[in-house]
Amino acid sequence: MPLIQLSPDSTDFPPVDYALEDPNGLLALGGDLSPERLLNAYQNGIFPWFSPDDPILWWSPNPRAILVPEQLHVSRSMMKFINRTSLKVTINTAFHQVIEACANERGEGTWIDPSIQHSYIQLYLQGIAHSVEVWDQQKLVGGLYGVEQGSLFCGESMFSRQTNASKLALYVFCQHFIRYGGKLIDCQILNSHTESLGATEIPRSDYLQFLYKLRQQPLSPACWVPQYLR
């Protein structure tokens, strides 16, 4: 099946069943990165990813990597670090800095160019995208960001400037997410890092069933108010 070119006049996507098997999950190209299109994408299990010289590419892989927050794997050494560290963790206090750091600190983050950052910042300003920050005094040393879909959180990227900082962000966020009724974290594609944290793969059809159910179950706005988490 040929790759589908999105219309600039519509934010609609083709059914995810049209996604290619090789490369796994590639569904469409083109369109734009407007907040409306991005939101429609996440609501239907689709996300953008592309290299700087590529057109915008849209993906819905099968299988899909997910993390049940209660099943986050924390090693004994990591738990010792968590109990001893003086690092502080906040939510939604420095979204701009987090997404910029994700672009700059990680090799695979190079696709997060200024246009991508601008688009996700618009989602943040609409209360749809969120960040978690790790601080050493006043210095940002780690964090993550993603997109909320009710009680499902679509993780996008994370970074670390100190050992274990991004893992701390994820651990503290999972505890916070659970307290407010969060059910599932979308990890998109399984890799050795996410697998080591407890992520697993499920069929895309199962993920979509979770998504369509959980996006109808918004968490309390208090979950996303800028605040210290620890």
Side-chain angles (χ1 to χ4, degrees):
M1 182 177 295
L3 193 59
I4 296 171
Q5 171 80 49
L6 297 182
S7 167
D9 302 318
S10 170
T11 61
D12 290 340
F13 287 90
V16 296
D17 289 342
Y18 287 20
L20 302 180
E21 293 183 3
D22 184 19
N24 178 21
L26 181 57
L27 176 65
L29 62 84
D32 57 29
L33 294 168
S34 66
E36 295 78 16
R37 192 185 299 273
L38 279 174
L39 183 56
N40 191 24
Y42 283 100
Q43 289 173 340
N44 289 283
I46 301 163
F47 59 88
W49 187 88
F50 53 96
S51 299
D53 296 329
D54 289 339
I56 301 171
L57 300 176
W58 301 91
W59 304 77
S60 185
N62 184 30
R64 188 75 167 231
I66 56 96
L67 172 66
V68 178
E70 292 89 347
Q71 296 176 7
L72 175 70
H73 178 258
V74 182
S75 66
R76 187 173 302 174
S77 61
M78 183 63 195
M79 187 54 67
K80 288 181 180 179
F81 172 82
I82 291 168
N83 291 332
R84 295 174 180 175
T85 186
S86 61
L87 298 177
K88 303 299 183 185
V89 183
T90 58
I91 188 168
N92 282 335
T93 66
F95 187 92
H96 298 62
Q97 292 173 254
V98 168
I99 193 170
E100 182 177 6
C102 287
N104 295 333
E105 299 291 327
R106 301 184 64 191
E108 67 267 36
T110 55
W111 78 280
I112 309 173
D113 65 16
S115 66
I116 287 281
Q117 294 178 46
H118 175 78
S119 298
Y120 282 91
I121 288 169
Q122 296 309 303
L123 290 184
Y124 164 71
L125 294 174
Q126 294 179 23
I128 299 167
H130 305 284
S131 63
V132 177
E133 306 88 23
V134 179
W135 304 93
D136 184 352
Q137 302 297 326
Q138 303 300 313
K139 183 179 180 182
L140 183 67
V141 296
L144 60 86
Y145 78 94
V147 175
E148 168 205 348
Q149 287 292 289
S151 54
L152 186 152
F153 185 78
C154 303
E156 271 300 318
S157 188
M158 58 201 313
F159 79 98
S160 189
R161 293 171 177 164
Q162 281 189 18
T163 302
N164 291 329
S166 61
K167 291 181 181 179
L168 178 64
L170 181 60
Y171 172 81
V172 173
F173 172 70
C174 281
Q175 301 306 305
H176 179 73
F177 194 50
I178 291 166
R179 283 196 297 273
Y180 279 92
K183 301 299 185 185
L184 200 67
I185 296 174
D186 170 29
C187 301
Q188 298 179 349
I189 298 173
L190 193 68
N191 56 41
S192 58
H193 177 63
T194 54
E195 187 173 23
S196 73
L197 297 173
T200 58
E201 290 183 323
I202 61 174
R204 179 173 57 212
S205 57
D206 289 357
Y207 172 75
L208 292 174
Q209 288 183 19
F210 283 124
L211 171 63
Y212 296 152
K213 178 182 178 181
L214 297 178
R215 74 184 189 187
Q216 304 297 328
Q217 301 174 7
L219 305 185
S220 166
C223 179
W224 309 112
V225 171
Q227 60 192 284
Y228 277 95
L229 302 184
R230 62 161 284 161

